Amino acid sequence: MNKLSQTHPGTTGKNHVAIVPSATTQYLSQDVPYTFRQNTDFLYLTGFHNPDAILLLVSDSAKGLPDHKAVLFVQPQDSQWELWNGPRCRADDAVLIFGMDEAYSIDELPSYFRKSCDNSCSVWFDQSLQTNHLDFYELINEKLLLSNERSIKNLFSLRHHVHDVRVIKTSDEIELMTKSASIASEAFIETIRHGRSDMSELEIGAKFEYECKRRGAERVAYPPVVAAGNRANILHYLTKTGIVCDGELVLMDAGCEFHGYASDITRTWPINGAFSKLQREIYEAVLMTRDACIQLVKPGASLNAIHHSAEMIIGRALQDLGVIKKEFGDVRLRNEVSRFFPHHVGHYLGMDTHDTPQVSRNATLQPGMVVTIEPGLYFSNKLANMPDRYKGIGIRIEDDVLVTESGHKVLTERVPSDPTRLEEMLSSRPTS
Ligand SMILES: [Mn+2]
């Protein structure tokens, strides 16, 4: 296994047990559940979509040959529950369908754990991740880790090891990422063609979601950002309560989830079909930075190194446009750039939109990784010390890029980003 994240103290014992809990149902209000989303590490390791299950990975080489087992603990049968929610996967089916070595009702977890984990056993469990499933953390802490008046002295974090594996996609995963990117790309084209002046940002976001779902995506990967005019300068603007006015740019940051794999695209386009001269000046600075950064995606580079280049490229463009003083040196320039480009140029992409956060952005890029490249420039109306002519403009362009042996492959290039091509596409919109 490649060591991309920080390493852990060595564990030399012969008996290991990893505990990976699933997610549980979250509620919007009394009896009204949010759409269920599985814990990503759990889904990666099991493929199992039901809530409230626990995976044990048991490894025992005490008797000579190592013996590895994946054991899933699922909810017991409950006809009352199934009356409301439909059938759920039984233990026997978990073995048949998901290829588990063994599966049992969750009631059997404490005794199974005691049987599999002696006092010298190393336990791999992320005790600090208590956000999604409080009941399980109580069960694991009280019934497993602190049971029988012993506490596990050898407790290690599992998460970063799973992320080290998840960050490199297999060929099957690359196929799913490609499909996710292609669905979101088609949905982007349809949505850009649909948008009109005086339309609400909510409608534009709903159009994107509809176009993704009708192409087979199960959901959007995150609530789309649809932001017109000065609202594009609010980086995570999700309310979408505004109306797009004639003459404004619309920034849409949106992606879908296809069979568990996310896409993440941003385009910014003029709602009336033509960039103004000033909008185009900023747009071209961002586009040129995006193009240069995509060229830097290859084995051996890193997201942080590409970000550093992005700051320098965008900084020089801003000097040429008279936004930043020409005489600033590199350090001062990067500092000044962060006022207008305050986020990172990219992140890992995979089952999560901000995928494998345990893997550093200093890690060396390797074939099979997928990253986003997403430079932006944001000139809020409120910014001081900059030319008034650009105020109210916010632009980001984002693509999904697979690292290959020979360099990279852009998975989202079907969505036009060249300003002239965008204008051509907009001028061929059906009149409605
Ligand atoms: Mn992104």
Side-chain angles (χ1 to χ4, degrees):
M1 191 198 298
N2 49 94
K3 288 260 176 262
L4 296 161
S5 58
Q6 89 246 35
T7 51
H8 247 261
T11 50
T12 52
K14 294 186 166 164
N15 179 204
H16 297 264
V17 176
I19 309 169
V20 189
S22 79
T24 192
T25 309
Q26 305 285 313
Y27 289 87
L28 174 72
S29 67
Q30 183 69 39
D31 299 333
V32 180
Y34 284 107
T35 306
F36 178 71
R37 189 179 190 278
Q38 191 55 282
N39 167 359
T40 317
D41 285 348
F42 178 88
L43 183 61
Y44 180 80
L45 294 170
T46 62
F48 193 71
H49 284 278
N50 286 185
D52 307 316
I54 291 181
L55 172 70
L56 287 193
L57 296 172
V58 183
S59 171
D60 193 351
S61 54
K63 297 183 195 97
L65 281 177
D67 178 23
H68 306 297
K69 270 188 304 196
V71 187
L72 192 66
F73 293 85
V74 302
Q75 289 298 307
Q77 293 310 294
D78 178 345
S79 54
Q80 194 55 31
W81 189 94
E82 294 195 9
L83 171 68
W84 287 93
N85 302 292
R88 63 184 168 199
C89 187
R90 293 153 202 259
D92 291 351
D93 294 335
V95 173
L96 281 172
I97 299 170
F98 298 96
M100 296 292 138
D101 295 299
E102 297 168 20
Y104 305 100
S105 163
I106 200 143
D107 309 328
E108 297 177 48
L109 173 63
S111 63
Y112 191 100
F113 181 83
R114 278 193 291 278
K115 201 176 67 192
S116 328
C117 190
D118 62 27
N119 277 335
S120 65
C121 170
S122 299
V123 176
W124 300 80
F125 173 62
D126 292 280
Q127 228 172 3
S128 58
L129 294 176
Q130 298 197 355
T131 48
N132 195 282
H133 208 319
L134 290 176
D135 290 353
F136 270 7
Y137 281 92
E138 228 170 84
L139 168 81
I140 291 165
N141 278 317
E142 286 170 19
K143 297 266 175 58
L144 307 189
L145 303 185
L146 302 172
S147 61
N148 290 351
E149 294 169 2
R150 64 145 189 213
S151 62
I152 299 287
K153 288 175 244 50
N154 304 319
L155 184 64
F156 303 97
S157 166
L158 176 70
R159 198 171 175 231
H160 69 278
H161 291 293
V162 180
H163 288 196
D164 279 355
V165 183
R166 269 180 52 197
V167 75
I168 312 272
K169 276 71 184 169
T170 64
S171 57
D172 287 341
E173 289 181 294
I174 290 167
E175 211 173 292
L176 290 167
M177 294 290 296
T178 305
K179 179 75 179 165
S180 178
S182 122
I183 291 172
S185 299
E186 296 296 330
F188 245 88
I189 292 169
E190 292 303 323
T191 307
I192 292 172
R193 289 168 55 81
H194 178 77
R196 295 286 188 284
S197 306
D198 300 326
M199 198 174 267
S200 73
E201 294 161 339
L202 271 175
E203 178 178 340
I204 294 173
K207 173 72 173 171
F208 176 80
E209 183 163 353
Y210 165 76
E211 294 294 345
C212 288
K213 287 183 172 172
R214 70 183 287 255
R215 288 171 171 77
E218 290 86 9
R219 64 174 96 211
V220 287
Y222 50 94
V225 174
V226 182
N230 189 55
R231 291 185 293 280
N233 297 308
I234 305 166
L235 295 178
H236 283 172
Y237 172 76
L238 300 178
T239 47
K240 299 189 276 290
T241 45
I243 300 292
V244 190
C245 298
D246 187 29
E248 286 184 329
L249 297 176
V250 192
L251 180 157
M252 180 165 85
D253 182 340
C256 68
E257 228 180 79
F258 178 75
H259 292 189
Y261 287 81
S263 41
D264 182 4
I265 306 175
T266 308
R267 289 292 184 270
T268 311
W269 72 95
I271 197 72
N272 64 12
F275 287 92
S276 74
K277 181 174 170 291
L278 293 170
Q279 287 167 345
R280 197 170 174 131
E281 283 171 6
I282 304 304
Y283 190 91
E284 280 175 347
V286 177
L287 184 67
M288 184 256 299
T289 310
R290 194 245 1 215
D291 290 343
C293 289
I294 285 178
Q295 290 311 314
L296 296 173
V297 177
K298 60 183 96 166
S302 74
L303 281 170
N304 276 346
I306 297 171
H307 181 66
H308 186 97
S309 301
E311 288 179 316
M312 297 309 292
I313 296 163
I314 229 164
R316 301 228 163 84
L318 290 177
Q319 286 179 316
D320 290 343
L321 291 167
V323 177
I324 295 179
K325 290 200 177 91
K326 283 264 186 204
E327 61 267 27
F328 285 171
D330 285 2
V331 175
R332 186 86 194 270
L333 179 63
R334 287 181 64 203
N335 224 348
E336 194 67 6
V337 163
S338 68
R339 292 178 59 216
F340 312 113
F341 172 39
H343 58 78
H344 203 283
V345 79
H347 52 81
Y348 303 109
L349 183 69
M351 296 179 80
D352 288 319
T353 304
H354 288 186
D355 203 47
T356 59
Q358 296 289 303
V359 179
S360 161
R361 282 177 165 127
N362 281 321
T364 304
L365 293 184
Q366 298 176 35
M369 288 180 172
V370 180
V371 298
T372 65
I373 292 295
E374 49 179 306
L377 277 173
Y378 311 93
F379 300 119
S380 161
N381 280 339
K382 294 192 184 112
L383 270 183
N385 300 324
M386 64 157 288
D388 282 342
R389 63 182 181 278
Y390 294 130
K391 282 187 180 172
I393 296 177
I395 290 167
R396 176 165 66 256
I397 307 171
E398 174 177 26
D399 287 278
D400 303 344
V401 187
L402 167 70
V403 184
T404 63
E405 296 286 346
S406 60
H408 60 263
K409 182 173 177 221
V410 182
L411 304 179
T412 48
E413 67 188 349
R414 248 189 79 57
V415 199
S417 51
D418 176 80
T420 306
R421 272 199 61 208
L422 267 172
E423 286 178 346
E424 278 164 14
M425 190 174 93
L426 289 161
S427 70
S428 71
R429 285 181 288 190
T431 45
S432 57

